[in-house]
Amino acid sequence: MIQINLLPHHLRPIKRTPVPYIAVGILAVLAVAYIAFSFISTQAQIMGKQTQLAAHQKELEEMKAIVEESNQLEKRKLQLADKINTIQEIASNRIVWSRELFNLSRLKPDNFWYSEILESSKSYSVQQPEIDPKTGKPKINETTKKPEMKTVSITKPILRVMGYVVAGADGRSDVSPLTDALSSDPEFVKMFQMEPPSFSDTEFEGFPVKKFTLEFQIAPEAEAGQ
């Protein structure tokens, strides 16, 4: 039977082709497949990085003890270096008492003998600038424009030598031969500066003698090396 559509052209139903839908469906499937592939690839990369990270963390943990030991050794090395420098400095400046005792014996005239040699300390009054507690600097006198000074007591190490002298060939029991020798010897005066001596006439086992006491300030560089 023949069917004739008598409706006007603009009222006739439009016949749609499925091709665009199929194309859209194919694109959607491809997009989902790409997303899935990208996700799987990214996850694989993340797992690979995590595996590397775990391996590095394990290696770092194994090396931690070695690093700590190395740091301790480096610290001890620096400490030993400081001690060596200190020892060398002390050795270069310290007083070699055996040598100084030899010098005392070497410079002593025959009619002298020592009764006591000792290292001691003594208080000295010295002038020092007065410090302003507010500024931490020396106070300046407004009239003289010079630092104001004050007397303070400080303690310094000394060498004390005591002994006796009997009359020499000239019949005199004079202390000056010893003091002259000690104060003019280049090696001895590098370490010790003599102060005014004290002496007195006395007797020793029934013989007239002169008792002396000599005091020497120890040089600052020798003091630092003690």
Side-chain angles (χ1 to χ4, degrees):
M1 180 175 64
I2 299 174
Q3 293 181 352
I4 299 173
N5 190 346
L6 299 177
L7 292 172
H9 184 73
H10 66 282
L11 296 177
R12 294 177 184 177
I14 298 174
K15 294 183 180 181
R16 301 183 183 277
T17 175
V19 174
Y21 299 101
I22 295 172
V24 170
I26 293 173
L27 289 175
V29 171
L30 291 175
V32 171
Y34 176 77
I35 293 172
F37 175 78
S38 297
F39 177 77
I40 294 173
S41 177
T42 303
Q43 288 297 111
Q45 291 179 2
I46 292 174
M47 292 181 64
K49 296 296 183 183
Q50 288 178 338
T51 302
Q52 291 181 1
L53 177 61
H56 290 321
Q57 287 178 336
K58 182 179 179 181
E59 183 179 357
L60 180 62
E61 192 66 26
E62 292 175 350
M63 296 292 292
K64 186 176 180 181
I66 298 176
V67 172
E68 289 180 355
E69 183 178 359
S70 176
N71 291 337
Q72 290 294 329
L73 290 174
E74 188 67 24
K75 185 177 179 180
R76 290 185 60 188
K77 178 182 176 182
L78 294 175
Q79 292 173 343
L80 289 174
D82 289 340
K83 290 182 179 180
I84 290 173
N85 291 335
T86 301
I87 292 171
Q88 289 176 341
E89 182 178 355
I90 291 174
S92 62
N93 292 329
R94 69 184 178 87
I95 300 176
V96 182
W97 285 109
S98 59
R99 178 64 185 178
E100 301 309 328
L101 292 175
F102 168 75
N103 287 333
L104 286 170
S105 175
R106 172 176 62 86
L107 299 170
K108 178 181 68 63
D110 292 337
N111 59 324
F112 285 74
W113 75 93
Y114 300 126
S115 61
E116 189 173 5
I117 300 174
L118 58 88
E119 181 187 8
S120 185
S121 59
K122 187 176 179 180
S123 296
Y124 293 87
S125 295
V126 297
Q127 292 288 314
Q128 289 185 352
E130 189 169 355
I131 304 300
D132 188 338
K134 294 181 179 179
T135 63
K137 297 180 180 180
K139 289 183 178 179
I140 303 299
N141 188 291
E142 295 182 358
T143 303
T144 63
K145 305 302 180 182
K146 295 182 179 180
E148 294 185 359
M149 307 298 288
K150 64 177 181 179
T151 302
V152 297
S153 178
I154 62 173
T155 300
K156 294 183 178 181
I158 64 169
L159 172 67
R160 182 177 291 120
V161 178
M162 291 175 282
Y164 301 92
V165 55
V166 296
D170 57 358
R172 300 172 54 194
S173 55
D174 192 359
V175 181
S176 58
L178 176 61
T179 58
D180 291 344
L182 293 175
S183 60
S184 61
D185 184 73
E187 182 179 350
F188 191 79
V189 297
K190 281 171 49 178
M191 289 290 185
F192 307 101
Q193 286 79 50
M194 183 183 296
E195 297 186 347
S198 63
F199 47 86
S200 61
D201 293 322
T202 185
E203 288 188 358
F204 185 83
E205 295 185 355
F207 292 93
V209 295
K210 182 166 289 186
K211 181 179 181 180
F212 63 85
T213 299
L214 306 179
E215 292 182 341
F216 304 83
Q217 287 191 33
I218 298 176
E221 60 271 18
E223 177 186 347
Q226 293 186 69

